[in-house]
Amino acid sequence: MIGPRARLAILVVALLAGFAAFWGFDVVTKEDVRGWVDAFGPFAPVAYVPISALLGLLLVPGPVLAGVSGLLFGTAVGTIVTLSASVLSAVCALLVARHVGREGAVDLGGERLARAERLLERHGFGAVVLQRLLPAVPDAPMNYAFGVLGVAVWQIALGTAIGAAPRAFSYTAIGASLDDPSSPAAIAGVVVLVLVSFVGAEIARRIYVAR
């Protein structure tokens, strides 16, 4: 029987392998994704949601997936698709981490992890929202971390729906405007991205100072 620490190690290795497969060996390329989605015709936006969520589980960066969504479906529909996929991927990653890696993390983390769990039990929703707003903090690895730390499903689902919405619009709009970087949608995407990054960083700074 595989012990909890071994399951945690297997999860980490599997995630790194998935990430390397996409970026290092081109096992799955953007063109592949486009081909899969185009095959569904008018149902392509619906089909892209689980495809994007699965790639997110493999640590494919959210901005890339959002950009592809914008390229395929435009800003309006693409933003809805991107946000839906983000929520689905976050919930799935949390559940995987909870059932596969949580026991091993508890064994290794000790009292420090227990304190983090107690804090997130009260403030998990706010923590998810803040993390989604923070610049340069990738969502996919954090989804697994939230699962290990005991964040509730409703907290990560609602927190992602709210906190990830601005960036979902930004990256989708930028992806939809690759052929016209000076379009209003592209400019709006960049402006929102800058504002969200500033707001997230400022909130984090104030929380740190208030400690």
Side-chain angles (χ1 to χ4, degrees):
M1 182 176 179
I2 300 176
R5 294 190 183 187
R7 291 200 302 270
L8 177 62
I10 291 171
L11 175 61
V12 172
V13 170
L15 293 175
L16 292 176
F19 181 81
F22 185 85
W23 287 106
F25 302 101
D26 289 333
V27 172
V28 178
T29 66
K30 298 175 187 177
E31 290 71 24
D32 292 331
V33 175
R34 180 193 286 270
W36 296 340
V37 172
D38 286 344
F40 288 90
F43 298 101
V46 177
Y48 185 72
V49 171
I51 291 174
S52 178
L54 177 59
L55 293 174
L57 286 173
L58 297 176
L59 302 186
V60 176
V64 173
L65 298 172
V68 172
S69 180
L71 188 64
L72 292 173
F73 312 119
T75 300
V77 174
T79 298
I80 297 172
V81 170
T82 295
L83 192 56
S84 300
S86 297
V87 172
L88 178 59
S89 186
V91 170
C92 290
L94 179 139
L95 293 175
V96 169
R98 176 184 295 175
H99 293 292
V100 177
R102 180 169 166 75
E103 288 186 37
V106 170
D107 284 349
L108 293 172
E111 180 57 30
R112 180 176 298 180
L113 182 64
R115 287 198 300 270
E117 287 180 330
R118 290 193 292 269
L119 181 64
L120 288 175
E121 185 177 348
R122 300 192 303 270
H123 306 293
F125 167 72
V128 174
V129 172
L130 176 59
Q131 184 273 311
R132 297 323 189 208
L133 295 175
L134 285 174
V137 180
D139 292 349
M142 288 303 301
N143 291 334
Y144 289 100
F146 285 135
V148 167
L149 292 170
V151 170
V153 171
W154 77 265
Q155 290 175 326
I156 200 167
L158 186 58
T160 300
I162 295 174
R167 289 185 186 277
F169 164 77
S170 294
Y171 291 124
T172 304
I174 293 170
S177 307
L178 289 179
D179 59 343
D180 186 11
S182 61
S183 68
I187 294 173
V190 172
V191 170
V192 170
L193 186 60
V194 171
L195 289 176
V196 168
S197 298
F198 174 79
V199 169
E202 180 63 16
I203 293 174
R205 185 191 69 82
R206 294 191 179 192
I207 292 175
Y208 180 80
V209 170
R211 293 178 56 186

